[in-house]
């Protein structure tokens, strides 16, 4: 039987045609396509300003920078995330503060976060892990309590409702989406930052392209004989999204709900097929919220007849791809050694790390593919 990969992008003829059209247009870098993608994405999530970038990592960096994060500042975040959430804090000389997670949702434990906040903290960066959002009421109350700006790491959570509104539309300082190849919609590499604050958006637009002030640029481009004029107002970065990537993104955006529907159906098929096994299934979204189903994460309880590693090895033997999201950051050498972190500081995440893994969930899987995974799990874990 052929191998079932852990993830595959869903690129159709419309995406291919859109990319070919851009290639023929002669406009390969940031141009009208990226601008149109920003507008369409902003309309989709109902955000006032959208800034297209070449990755979510760049987007996080731009958002932290625009909010004034600098040396000595702290950014509160879960240990259960990808290193990008934290590394962009270090780019600015600031320090991430890692917080343990809830054992059922893998989302940042807000009472543990309460205890972790110091007067150096200026930002909280929640991660809507796997596509399940951190409930916005509790998140906003936490941020208000400590006077923190919120930068949502929404790499997993497009599109999904959080207490009645799409992630990205709650008015938080910034929400950062990823269009990496494995994410819920893709541009190959790419990301989008949305913000209600026009000044923050302007700063991010300037910094994403060499620190060139677009406002000044635009004023002078009106005068045709000085169209060459621009001013560098900061040592910016090279984080712009290409029109080639945007062409992919614009088509993928029109398919976002079709994709979500398929991933939701796969999750429901897993839920039904795996019920009764000694396996902890993903937490459900509370009433009024959704789940983007970027990942389907399970854990093997201690009383199960097999360990996580045995289960993963058995699936690998049957040609079924799995992954682990995530190795918590407090266990990664750089973060562990830089901040003298030990597993006992994060008891829940340290325990989950031993028991958790992710099953394949992507639109190109057939029902037969899903059933194959379910049967394999019954073979290793069933009585
Ligand atoms: C994928 C991911 C990122 C980084 O996204 P890129 O677009 O690859 O930079 C950030 N945070 C989380 C939680 C992710 O899973």
């Amino acid at each position: 039987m052929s191998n079932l990969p852990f993830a595959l992008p869903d690129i159709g003829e419309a995406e291919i045609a859109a990319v070919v059209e851009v290639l023929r247009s002669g406009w390969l870098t940031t141009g009208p396509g990226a601008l149109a993608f920003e507008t369409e994405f902003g309309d989709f999530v109902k955000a006032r300003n959208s800034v297209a970038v070449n990755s979510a990592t760049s987007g996080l960096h731009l958002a932290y920078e625009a909010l004034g994060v600098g040396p000595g500042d702290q950014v509160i975040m879960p240990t259960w995330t990808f290193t990008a959430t934290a590394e962009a804090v270090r780019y600015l000389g600031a320090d991430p503060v890692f917080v343990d997670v809830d054992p059922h949702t893998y989302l940042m434990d807000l009472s543990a976060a309460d205890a972790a906040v110091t007067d150096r903290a200026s930002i909280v960066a929640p991660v809507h892990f796997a596509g399940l959002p951190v409930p916005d009421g509790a998140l906003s109350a936490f941020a208000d309590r400590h006077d923190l700006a919120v930068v949502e790491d929404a790499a997993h959570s497009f599109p999904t409702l959080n207490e009645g509104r799409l992630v990205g539309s709650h008015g938080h300082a910034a929400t950062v989406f990823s269009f990496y190849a494995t994410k819920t919609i893709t541009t190959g590499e790419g990301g989008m930052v949305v913000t209600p604050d026009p000044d923050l958006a302007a700063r991010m637009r300037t910094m994403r392209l060499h620190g060139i002030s677009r406002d000044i640029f635009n004023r002078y481009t009106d005068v045709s004989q000085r169209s060459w004029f621009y001013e560098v107002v900061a040592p910016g970065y090279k984080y712009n999204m290409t029109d080639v990537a945007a062409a992919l993104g614009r088509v993928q955006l029109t398919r976002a709900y079709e994709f979500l529907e398929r991933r939701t159906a796969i999750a429901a098929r897993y839920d039904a097929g795996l019920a009764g096994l000694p396996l902890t299934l993903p937490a459900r979204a509370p009433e009024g919220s959704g789940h983007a189903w970027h990942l389907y994460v399970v854990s093997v309880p201690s009383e199960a007849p097999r360990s996580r590693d045995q289960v993963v090895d058995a699936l690998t033997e049957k040609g079924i791809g799995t992954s682990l999201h995530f190795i918590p950051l407090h266990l990664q050498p750089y973060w562990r050694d830089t901040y003298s972190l030990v597993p006992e500081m994060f008891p829940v995440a340290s325990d989950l790390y031993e028991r958790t893994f992710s099953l394949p969930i992507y639109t190109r899987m057939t029902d037969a593919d899903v059933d194959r995974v379910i049967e394999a799990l019954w073979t290793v874990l069933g009585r």
Side-chain angles (χ1 to χ4, degrees):
M1 202 182 263
S2 65
N3 285 350
L4 180 70
F6 173 69
L8 273 181
D10 192 333
I11 300 296
E13 290 306 319
E15 283 87 340
I16 292 167
V19 167
V20 169
E21 195 183 318
V22 171
L23 294 178
R24 292 193 202 286
S25 79
W27 201 304
L28 299 188
T29 180
T30 307
L35 198 65
F37 186 34
E38 287 181 338
T39 305
E40 289 158 10
F41 191 88
D43 289 348
F44 192 113
V45 298
K46 296 186 180 64
R48 277 201 285 282
N49 307 279
S50 307
V51 180
V53 286
N54 61 357
S55 73
T57 308
S58 312
L60 288 162
H61 187 194
L62 289 176
Y64 296 148
E65 196 276 343
L67 286 163
V69 171
D73 293 339
Q74 291 179 334
V75 177
I76 310 294
M77 65 182 64
T79 184
W80 199 275
T81 186
F82 186 57
T83 193
T85 323
E87 78 193 35
V89 171
R90 294 295 298 142
Y91 296 169
L92 297 160
D95 302 304
V97 175
F98 301 126
V99 175
D100 208 354
V101 293
D102 177 274
H104 305 294
T105 62
Y106 300 77
L107 301 175
M108 185 162 71
D109 176 339
L110 291 176
S111 45
D114 272 324
V117 175
T118 75
D119 55 13
R120 288 169 54 202
S122 57
I123 289 179
V124 57
V127 178
H128 303 307
F129 177 71
L132 182 70
V134 178
D136 196 70
L139 171 64
S140 297
F142 168 81
D144 289 348
R145 199 149 65 232
H146 300 287
D147 198 21
L148 303 174
V150 178
V151 174
E152 295 175 278
D153 181 333
H156 298 185
S157 53
F158 178 77
T160 199
L161 289 176
N162 187 351
E163 297 181 350
R165 280 180 293 160
L166 282 177
V167 170
S169 68
H170 293 80
H172 293 307
T175 304
V176 183
F177 297 93
S178 173
F179 309 133
Y180 181 68
T182 58
K183 300 286 159 73
T184 56
I185 69 169
T186 185
T187 61
E189 299 278 4
M192 189 76 75
V193 190
V194 303
T195 175
D197 181 344
D199 295 334
L200 211 66
R203 175 68 182 180
M204 292 192 286
R205 290 203 168 97
T206 296
M207 294 306 283
R208 92 177 146 181
L209 199 67
H210 303 298
I212 292 170
S213 164
R214 288 299 198 81
D215 290 331
I216 294 165
F217 181 76
N218 290 340
R219 214 183 302 151
Y220 286 95
T221 49
D222 287 344
V223 185
S224 57
Q225 64 267 40
R226 293 194 63 192
S227 60
W228 45 266
F229 187 83
Y230 62 88
E231 283 187 310
V232 174
V233 298
Y237 315 110
K238 188 70 200 295
Y239 284 171
N240 53 305
M241 175 182 278
T242 66
D243 271 23
V244 179
L248 275 173
R250 293 177 69 190
V251 178
Q252 292 263 298
L253 189 62
T254 66
R255 303 175 66 195
Y257 280 123
E258 166 205 326
F259 288 165
L260 176 62
E261 201 178 313
R262 179 63 195 144
R263 288 192 306 272
T264 304
I266 294 170
R269 201 170 183 91
Y270 275 142
D271 282 349
L274 299 174
L277 276 179
L279 198 61
T280 307
L281 303 183
R284 305 275 163 97
E287 191 67 31
S289 291
H291 199 309
W293 293 114
H294 164 53
L295 300 173
Y296 191 93
V297 175
V298 296
S299 69
V300 182
S302 46
E303 65 274 16
R306 300 272 184 281
S307 70
R308 186 270 317 273
D309 289 348
Q310 288 173 318
V311 174
V312 165
D313 289 349
L315 292 180
T316 306
E317 229 160 81
K318 292 174 187 295
I320 296 170
T322 59
S323 191
L324 173 56
H325 301 86
F326 292 102
I327 302 170
L329 296 184
H330 70 270
L331 298 177
Q332 293 289 3
Y334 173 76
W335 301 114
R336 179 194 64 204
D337 298 346
T338 302
Y339 297 108
S340 308
L341 304 174
V342 293
E344 293 70 32
M345 294 168 160
F346 309 91
V348 176
S350 301
D351 174 55
L352 286 175
Y353 169 58
E354 305 290 333
R355 303 193 286 104
T356 292
F357 66 105
S358 305
L359 296 177
I361 182 167
Y362 49 96
T363 54
R364 287 171 61 189
M365 285 179 83
T366 63
D367 284 351
D369 290 333
V370 180
D371 292 344
R372 175 178 165 191
V373 178
I374 292 168
E375 279 158 31
L377 283 164
W378 275 95
T379 309
V380 267
L381 279 172
R383 269 157 241 282

